[in-house]
Amino acid sequence: MVYVREMNAADVEDVATIRVRGWQAAYAGIVPQAYLDAMTVEGDARQRRQWFSQPGRQLRDLVALGDRGPVGWICFGPWRGEAPGLRRVGEIYALYVSPELIGQGIGRRLLEEAHAQMQRQGFEVSALWVLSDNRRGRRFYERSGYQADGVTQDDPYDEITLTELRYQRVL
């Protein structure tokens, strides 16, 4: 059983571990291995502490807690680009679950809570970007009501460029 709460500064190391391990598991064979191998929990935690302490930040961070602490993390807030359509759009910036716990409903629980908070903030639509080759991630979001809307963007990693697809769903 997990429950979701706001992330706090004490969660930074755990969230960095979840994010780095999540990247290395989810994107193996998609993102260049050298890029994944260069990721460190220490470097991610340092960057996350910096972001987390910024005054006036509009991002929200939630953690899913299990028996031994954080096991998942989601970050969301206002859409960062030109809003798709005329509605007020929120964005899921990141969602990661400890790789060994994927498939246990933790990601779904985090996403549901983010959607509820986005609705309370007045967002009408949630959007996100997902790598086109991340089939597992795409299936997860599609089962959660998201649909690709045909918009793509390029995302460079080392010497290769990967394509991301924009997904949206009404809240």
Side-chain angles (χ1 to χ4, degrees), residues 98-114:
S98 295
E100 69 277 7
L101 299 176
I102 289 173
Q104 297 185 22
I106 296 166
R108 183 161 324 285
R109 177 72 186 96
L110 283 164
L111 194 57
E112 288 170 354
E113 181 58 31

Side-chain angles (χ1 to χ4, degrees), residues 38-39 43 53 60 86 96 103 115 118 136 149 160:
M39 296 179 77
S53 65
R60 303 290 304 270
L86 300 175
Y96 293 95
H115 289 160
M118 291 168 106
R136 183 182 218 172
D149 65 7
I160 71 162

Side-chain angles (χ1 to χ4, degrees), residues 29-138:
I30 299 172
V31 172
Q33 193 60 45
Y35 186 93
L36 297 174
D37 291 344
M39 296 179 77
T40 66
V41 171
E42 297 78 19
D44 192 81
R46 187 172 37 258
Q47 187 175 41
R48 202 141 314 288
R49 266 190 229 91
Q50 197 174 44
W51 288 338
F52 196 73
S53 65
Q54 288 178 346
R57 67 194 282 273
Q58 295 183 334
L59 309 180
R60 303 290 304 270
D61 292 280
L62 305 175
V63 292
L65 296 172
D67 295 340
R68 295 180 298 267
V71 293
W73 163 71
I74 192 167
C75 181
F76 61 96
W79 180 254
R80 293 175 287 183
E82 185 176 318
L86 300 175
R87 297 179 172 194
R88 192 144 179 258
V89 180
E91 182 176 356
I92 303 295
Y93 305 130
L95 170 59
Y96 293 95
V97 173
S98 295
E100 69 277 7
L101 299 176
I102 289 173
Q104 297 185 22
I106 296 166
R108 183 161 324 285
R109 177 72 186 96
L110 283 164
L111 194 57
E112 288 170 354
E113 181 58 31
H115 289 160
Q117 289 192 25
M118 291 168 106
Q119 282 182 306
R120 287 194 293 273
Q121 293 174 24
F123 293 111
E124 300 169 89
V125 173
S126 175
L128 55 87
W129 294 99
V130 62
L131 289 171
S132 63
D133 290 339
N134 182 359
R135 302 206 189 294
R136 183 182 218 172
R138 290 175 60 189

